[in-house]
């Protein structure tokens, strides 16, 4: 019987793929065969519902192949035995990722009585939360002009959650500027506080994922209840919910319920509430009615301070000249700045050599080149043509069909945005067109991007691909 079961598991694993298997099926154990029924147990009701509705038929069919006497498969909540070690799995020491995933899926709707005594119920406050990065605290956050307001608001919320005027706290800014860092810092501070409040931090993507999982397993009531029992809800990267109407709706209701109950909400996004096109109006309105704080692009001074702080924390002596050089060259965001410094430090440690300017230039040559790099009009034309699946020659052809004219306009728009060429010059490169044609293209695309979030995202994606 054990062998048959191992084969069934193996087959399922092949059929559904590794990720799905680990997410849903890995914790299945066979309790036994009772009459014509195979009994499979899982640790939580949530997992049981899911496995029954998604894999029930397949389980039964596989059992029948193994043992014709088995006509039914019963999936029920039962004690969790350690998962058997399987090829390629670290059963004893799950990676942080698998541990998180399992935890994330099994916990919110977990049947407490059946999980009592297992490690997962050790921290009931952690129920809803993704793990927090231990490096992201207020202590390690370097404050400067571009982020001082956001930082002050974050501190305030951490000290006194749900103060009127600061609820919700909406943090926004470009990538890599410290939004997630500040959110984790708030969560650490509140969790470490005296009252031991229940803080739930998660990405908007995770929020949606859980909501959909609850819908599928018809447990949205439990989903709502467990979510509404938190004291502080933090949702990171809310822009992810653009276009996801059902999830927005759910978030809106959760949001209202929590605020009405005097709970604190903290949200981050890459744009201000009013610029989050594609988010429901009433949600945008509510998001904007607390405190809205933006994190601006870094300044040279802030980059200097961040590099100094990080080098000091790593205990590595980085000469001022090198720090100034990096702060001057790597202007995109803090994440890249940090990445460059970490690479320098790793090299220095590995080879036991001091950090020097020459060395830095060598070790970082690829990063530095990317920052020097200018995009050419040819590259833009090639990428855009590829993206919309038209011929490169159509970028300069006279064809006016929408299918080629629109991509051509996108390319002109990007040429204006990403290069320093003049309008007449850009026109010449697109089949000797007049500069007014380019001007028209630029304003037309800007208009379309305003009106159509999906289109805007498309153009943004192209821009990002060209910039990196
Ligand atoms: P975002 O969420 O805005 O994309 P993150 O919070 O993930 O950005 O920040 C990217 C990286 O830069 C993180 O490692 C973070 O610790 C670091 N970082 C950003 N801003 C600061 C700051 N002011 N001081 C120290 N580190 C920072
Ligand atoms: Mg982030």
């Amino acid at each position: 019987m054990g062998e048959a079961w191992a084969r069934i598991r193996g087959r399922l694993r092949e059929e559904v793929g590794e990720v799905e298997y680990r997410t849903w099926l890995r914790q299945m154990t066979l309790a036994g065969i009772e009459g014509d029924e195979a009994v499979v147990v899982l640790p939580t009701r949530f997992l049981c519902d899911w496995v029954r509705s998604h894999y029930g038929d397949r389980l039964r069919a596989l059992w029948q192949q193994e043992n014709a006497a088995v006509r039914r498969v019963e999936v029920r909540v039962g004690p969790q035995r350690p998962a058997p070690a399987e090829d390629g799995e670290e059963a004893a020491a799950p990676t942080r990722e698998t541990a998180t995933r399992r935890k994330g899926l099994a916990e919110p709707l977990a049947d407490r009585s059946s999980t009592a005594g297992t490690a997962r119920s050790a921290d009931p406050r952690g129920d809803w939360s993704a793990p927090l990065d231990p490096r992201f605290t207020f202590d390690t956050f370097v404050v400067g002009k571009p982020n001082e307001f956001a930082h002050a608001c974050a501190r305030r919320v951490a000290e006194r959650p749900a103060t009127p005027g600061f609820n919700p706290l909406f943090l926004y800014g470009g990538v890599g500027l410290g939004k997630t860092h500040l959110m984790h810092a708030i969560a650490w501070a509140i969790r470490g506080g005296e009252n031991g409040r229940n803080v739930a931090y998660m990405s908007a993507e995770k929020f949606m994922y859980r909501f959909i999982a609850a819908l599928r397993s018809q447990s949205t009531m439990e989903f709502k209840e467990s979510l509404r029992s938190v004291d502080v809800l933090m949702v990171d990267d809310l822009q992810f919910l653009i276009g996801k109407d059902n999830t927005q709706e759910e978030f809106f209701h959760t949001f209202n319920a929590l605020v009405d109950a005097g709970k604190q909400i903290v949200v981050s996004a890459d744009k201000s509430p009013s610029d989050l096109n594609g988010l429901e109006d009433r949600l945008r309105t509510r998001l904007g009615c607390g405190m809205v704080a933006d994190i601006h692009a870094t300044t040279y001074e802030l980059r200097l301070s961040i590099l100094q702080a990080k080098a000091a924390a790593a205990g590595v002596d980085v000469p001022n000249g090198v720090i100034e050089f990096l702060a001057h060259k790597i202007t995109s965001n803090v994440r890249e700045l940090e990445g460059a410094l970490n690479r320098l430090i790793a090299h220095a440690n590995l080879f036991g050599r001091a950090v020097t300017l020459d060395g830095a230039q060598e070790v970082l040559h690829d990063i530095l080149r990317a920052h020097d790099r200018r995009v050419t009009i040819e590259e833009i034309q090639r990428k855009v043509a590829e993206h919309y699946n038209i011929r490169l020659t159509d970028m300069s052809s006279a064809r006016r069909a929408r299918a080629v004219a629109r991509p051509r306009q996108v390319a002109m728009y990007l040429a204006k945005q990403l290069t320093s060429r003049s309008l007449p010059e850009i026109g010449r490169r697109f089949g000797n067109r007049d500069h007014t044609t380019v001007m028209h293209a630029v304003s037309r695309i800007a208009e379309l991007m305003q009106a159509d979030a999906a289109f805007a995202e498309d153009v943004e994606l192209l821009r990002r691909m060209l910039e990196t």
Side-chain angles (χ1 to χ4, degrees):
M1 187 176 78
E3 277 171 30
W5 178 232
R7 277 194 295 275
I8 290 170
R9 290 170 63 99
R11 282 287 293 279
L12 268 177
R13 190 171 174 183
E14 270 168 32
E15 287 175 14
V16 305
E18 195 58 26
V19 172
E20 211 172 309
Y21 179 82
R22 282 185 182 224
T23 309
W24 305 112
L25 301 168
R26 186 173 176 262
Q27 298 186 66
M28 286 189 307
T29 43
L30 181 65
I33 297 195
E34 300 168 1
D36 62 353
E37 191 172 78
V39 181
V40 171
V41 300
L42 281 158
T44 69
R45 192 152 91 237
F46 174 63
L47 279 173
C48 286
D49 290 344
W50 184 278
V51 167
R52 198 178 302 117
S53 60
H54 289 79
Y55 309 101
D57 291 343
R58 196 61 202 133
L59 270 172
R60 187 164 47 87
L62 287 170
W63 261 113
Q64 289 227 295
Q65 284 173 20
E66 286 291 341
N67 180 348
V70 175
R71 293 181 182 282
R72 288 179 299 154
V73 173
E74 161 80 1
V75 182
R76 63 167 85 125
V77 177
Q80 187 185 16
R81 277 188 246 145
E86 290 164 72
D87 287 346
E89 280 189 28
E90 325 80 307
T95 60
R96 180 163 141 171
E97 196 199 354
T98 49
T100 309
R101 191 184 311 129
R102 225 183 300 137
K103 179 179 153 114
L105 288 166
E107 264 195 4
L109 309 167
D111 180 337
R112 302 273 160 131
S113 58
S114 72
T115 56
T118 67
R120 284 186 293 111
S121 58
D123 178 13
R125 295 181 308 155
D127 267 5
W128 261 96
S129 200
L132 299 175
D133 192 316
R135 294 166 306 174
F136 292 178
T137 62
F138 282 122
D139 289 345
T140 57
F141 192 83
V142 180
V143 184
K145 265 260 157 1
N147 60 27
E148 66 186 1
F149 182 64
H151 172 260
C153 293
R155 282 270 191 195
R156 175 65 185 267
V157 165
E159 276 156 26
R160 248 178 297 155
T163 309
F166 286 84
N167 197 16
L169 173 60
F170 188 101
L171 298 169
Y172 75 93
V175 296
L177 296 182
K179 301 182 294 295
T180 298
H181 189 138
L182 274 181
M183 289 182 95
H184 285 212
I186 297 173
W188 281 122
I190 295 179
R191 277 197 190 159
E194 284 158 18
N195 307 330
R197 280 184 230 246
N198 183 353
V199 182
Y201 164 89
M202 78 197 82
S203 65
E205 191 175 1
K206 187 67 148 264
F207 181 90
M208 184 182 88
Y209 181 57
R210 288 182 170 172
F211 173 55
I212 290 174
L215 276 181
R216 290 219 180 111
S217 64
Q218 283 151 6
S219 48
T220 46
M221 281 306 290
E222 288 163 84
F223 172 84
K224 286 175 192 173
E225 274 163 28
S226 63
L227 193 50
R228 287 175 192 178
S229 69
V230 305
D231 298 315
V232 181
L233 175 66
M234 307 181 131
V235 179
D236 205 350
D237 289 321
L238 197 78
Q239 71 274 6
F240 184 84
L241 295 191
I242 284 175
K244 320 276 188 334
D245 295 349
N246 288 335
T247 314
Q248 273 182 41
E249 173 99 21
E250 185 53 38
F251 178 71
F252 181 71
H253 291 309
T254 307
F255 181 101
N256 287 336
L258 287 173
V259 172
D260 290 347
K263 313 291 182 64
Q264 173 76 46
I265 309 259
V266 183
V267 164
S268 85
D270 62 352
K271 298 194 195 69
S272 74
S274 53
D275 286 336
L276 280 173
N277 291 322
L279 215 58
E280 265 189 73
D281 284 345
R282 54 179 189 169
L283 180 53
R284 284 204 305 211
T285 310
R286 284 228 69 170
L287 285 171
C289 70
M291 182 56 73
V292 176
D294 54 344
I295 306 185
H296 299 275
T298 58
T299 55
Y300 177 71
E301 285 71 30
L302 179 60
R303 291 195 294 276
L304 274 186
S305 326
I306 289 176
L307 287 167
Q308 277 154 357
K310 303 222 179 226
V316 172
D317 188 22
V318 182
N320 273 336
V322 174
I323 289 200
E324 281 160 18
F325 173 73
L326 291 181
H328 180 70
K329 280 285 192 180
I330 303 179
T331 54
S332 48
N333 63 49
V334 184
R335 187 172 300 137
E336 287 206 26
L337 196 63
E338 203 175 26
L341 182 69
N342 286 343
R343 203 197 292 182
L344 279 188
I345 291 174
H347 262 259
N349 286 338
L350 194 60
F351 298 111
R353 266 191 242 134
V355 179
T356 62
L357 192 54
D358 282 350
Q361 274 169 320
E362 199 181 304
V363 170
L364 301 175
H365 73 277
D366 53 332
I367 299 180
L368 297 170
R369 203 180 50 217
H371 280 265
D372 274 344
R373 186 163 166 269
R374 289 272 161 267
V375 186
T376 65
I377 292 183
E378 285 70 35
E379 276 178 76
I380 293 172
Q381 293 179 329
R382 200 157 12 87
K383 258 278 168 337
V384 173
E386 223 172 81
H387 182 78
Y388 289 102
N389 210 3
I390 63 170
R391 285 192 308 257
L392 181 57
T393 50
D394 275 331
M395 285 290 162
S396 19
S397 76
R399 289 183 61 200
R400 298 174 67 168
R402 165 84 74 83
V404 297
R406 185 57 40 80
R408 192 188 292 133
Q409 286 181 321
V410 169
M412 290 183 193
Y413 171 85
L414 289 171
K416 181 76 192 97
Q417 298 271 315
L418 300 177
T419 72
S420 50
R421 308 279 168 199
S422 65
L423 293 174
E425 172 117 35
I426 294 173
R428 272 200 295 283
R429 310 286 280 277
F430 284 82
N432 260 329
R433 286 178 157 79
D434 191 57
H435 77 276
T436 54
T437 308
V438 182
M439 217 153 74
H440 173 72
V442 171
S443 57
R444 181 80 189 118
I445 295 302
E447 261 172 42
L448 284 173
M449 287 175 74
Q450 275 293 319
D452 180 348
F455 178 73
E457 212 176 289
D458 223 32
V459 176
E460 273 308 310
L461 186 77
L462 274 166
R463 178 219 293 277
R464 253 178 278 142
M465 287 194 309
L466 284 161
E467 275 178 340
T468 49

